[in-house]
């Protein structure tokens, strides 16, 4: 059986790491914690917030509703209560499609560069 390298995924992320991942201020994350009951990260003995991958998925859903879809906070809260699991699946699909699109755009750029570097290449 061949060796397959596993992706190592962290169990917990700091608020700074989550903020950098979504390009938002840590204060926004703390504010949304007070507004959304689903978003409750663990806290270390020092009181630092520790976000699990599940917490990040909840944050991704909130981010999608508020920042990308333009819902108000009460509107996003209502949508999350009504369509919890269905909404998460929909956001996961959107996130996966965005990754595929970004990969394809990057691939196209690399192919364009490679085509221009070859003699007689280019359109």
């Amino acid at each position: 059986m061949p060796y397959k390298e596993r992706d190592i995924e962290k169990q917990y992320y700091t608020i700074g790491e989550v903020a950098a991942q979504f390009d938002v201020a840590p204060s926004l994350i703390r504010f949304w914690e007070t507004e959304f009951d689903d978003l409750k990260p663990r806290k270390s003995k020092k009181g630092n917030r520790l976000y699990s991958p599940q917490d990040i998925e909840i944050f991704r859903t909130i981010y999608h509703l508020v920042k990308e879809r333009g819902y108000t906070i009460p509107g996003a809260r209502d949508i999350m209560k009504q369509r919890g699991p269905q909404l998460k699946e929909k956001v996961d699909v959107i996130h996966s499609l965005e990754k595929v699109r970004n990969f394809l755009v990057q691939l196209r750029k690399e192919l364009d560069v490679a085509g221009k570097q070859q003699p007689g290449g280019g359109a």
Side-chain angles (χ1 to χ4, degrees):
M1 185 170 188
Y3 172 73
K4 184 178 179 193
E5 191 171 320
R6 292 187 319 148
D7 289 335
I8 298 175
E9 186 173 312
K10 292 174 69 172
Q11 289 185 352
Y12 293 102
Y13 298 84
T14 65
I15 193 168
E17 291 170 325
V18 176
Q21 183 177 349
F22 289 93
D23 195 27
V24 297
S27 59
L28 177 69
I29 299 171
R30 288 191 297 270
F31 173 68
W32 283 357
E33 283 177 30
T34 64
E35 296 295 322
F36 295 92
D37 293 335
D38 294 343
L39 189 59
K40 292 291 181 207
R42 293 182 69 176
K43 291 194 179 177
S44 69
K45 290 181 182 180
K46 289 183 175 181
N48 296 333
R49 290 166 172 82
L50 300 172
Y51 294 87
S52 68
Q54 293 82 11
D55 293 327
I56 293 173
E57 287 303 315
I58 292 168
F59 185 82
R60 176 175 280 113
T61 302
I62 295 167
Y63 181 88
H64 173 73
L65 290 172
V66 175
K67 294 290 189 178
E68 295 173 350
R69 297 292 305 262
Y71 280 88
T72 62
I73 289 175
R77 198 180 307 126
D78 291 342
I79 292 288
M80 287 182 69
K81 286 180 185 174
Q82 292 172 5
R83 303 185 213 162
Q86 295 170 338
L87 182 63
K88 184 191 177 311
E89 289 176 17
K90 186 176 179 180
V91 170
D92 288 347
V93 168
I94 290 170
H95 183 67
S96 295
L97 290 173
E98 286 173 348
K99 282 183 176 180
V100 169
R101 182 184 185 282
N102 290 338
F103 170 76
L104 291 173
V105 167
Q106 183 63 33
L107 183 62
R108 183 176 185 184
K109 287 179 183 177
E110 291 174 11
L111 289 173
D112 287 346
V113 168
K116 290 177 183 176
Q117 291 177 349
Q118 293 181 351

